[in-house]
Amino acid sequence: MSKRSSDGPVRWLNPDEERAWRAFRRMVIAVQTGTARDLSRAGLSEPDYEVLSTLSERPDHAGTLHEQAAKMGWSRSRLSRHATRMEARGLIRRAPDPADGRGCLLVLTDHGLDTLIDAAPAHLESVRHHFIDRLAPEDLTALEHIAGKVEAQDRAHRPPQP
């Protein structure tokens, strides 16, 4: 394998960096796999839950497709396709966005709110089981600090949204 890329020398991970990266990836996969499996028992996917819980926290239980896509790190087209499936299940509905004639609002339906309320206790227990209860309070503080650093750098290097 070449040690050069088109942008110059490749900065390979040293053994400590590689162990940390692989440990992080294994942790994320383990937590996501466990919580997704548990959430599926309520008939929801992790993206379903993210959309429902975010909308439940917003005024009028509505938010723009653009805002929701940005929050989830998804493209608008990907979220639009997912929203279509959620809409078919009666969890959300679309409404015109009064601030943007080309956009739409995603609106939490009564059925969607009831589904979220029913799923939330089991989901929170799953999060505790697969993540929170496995860590000491100082681990959680350190993780929050690390996540803040990564997110701040990500925001600083993200292209502006139209």
Side-chain angles (χ1 to χ4, degrees):
M1 183 179 312
S2 171
K3 295 234 180 202
R4 295 188 63 71
S5 74
S6 60
D7 296 329
V10 175
R11 292 182 56 217
W12 297 98
L13 301 178
N14 69 40
D16 291 339
E17 292 168 336
E18 185 162 349
R19 276 193 308 278
W21 171 246
R22 290 178 185 265
F24 169 77
R25 293 293 302 147
R26 285 190 305 271
M27 176 190 69
V28 168
I29 290 166
V31 171
Q32 284 183 326
T33 300
T35 57
R37 181 184 54 243
D38 294 346
L39 203 48
S40 72
R41 292 182 187 125
L44 296 173
S45 67
E46 287 183 317
D48 291 340
Y49 194 88
E50 179 75 14
V51 170
L52 295 176
S53 64
T54 301
L55 292 176
S56 76
E57 297 164 353
R58 300 204 34 108
D60 300 326
H61 293 167
T64 68
L65 180 72
H66 174 76
E67 291 167 337
Q68 190 67 39
K71 182 179 187 320
M72 295 175 72
W74 284 17
S75 69
R76 284 182 279 198
S77 62
R78 179 180 179 192
L79 179 57
S80 182
R81 288 188 301 275
H82 188 80
T84 298
R85 292 188 295 274
M86 291 182 73
E87 197 171 16
R89 293 164 43 213
L91 299 170
I92 62 171
R93 66 179 175 79
R94 293 177 203 240
D97 182 354
D100 178 1
R102 297 174 298 146
C104 74
L105 297 175
L106 301 179
V107 182
L108 184 62
T109 64
D110 290 341
H111 174 62
L113 183 59
D114 290 344
T115 301
L116 177 65
I117 290 168
D118 289 346
H123 179 61
L124 292 171
E125 184 56 38
S126 177
V127 169
R128 287 195 167 285
H129 172 74
H130 294 288
F131 185 66
I132 300 294
D133 292 345
R134 296 177 180 197
L135 301 173
E138 56 272 15
D139 296 331
L140 296 172
T141 301
L143 186 60
E144 185 178 6
H145 176 74
I146 293 165
K149 288 171 78 171
V150 171
E151 289 175 69
Q153 287 292 314
D154 185 52
R155 277 192 306 275
H157 293 95
R158 190 177 305 149
Q161 293 285 329

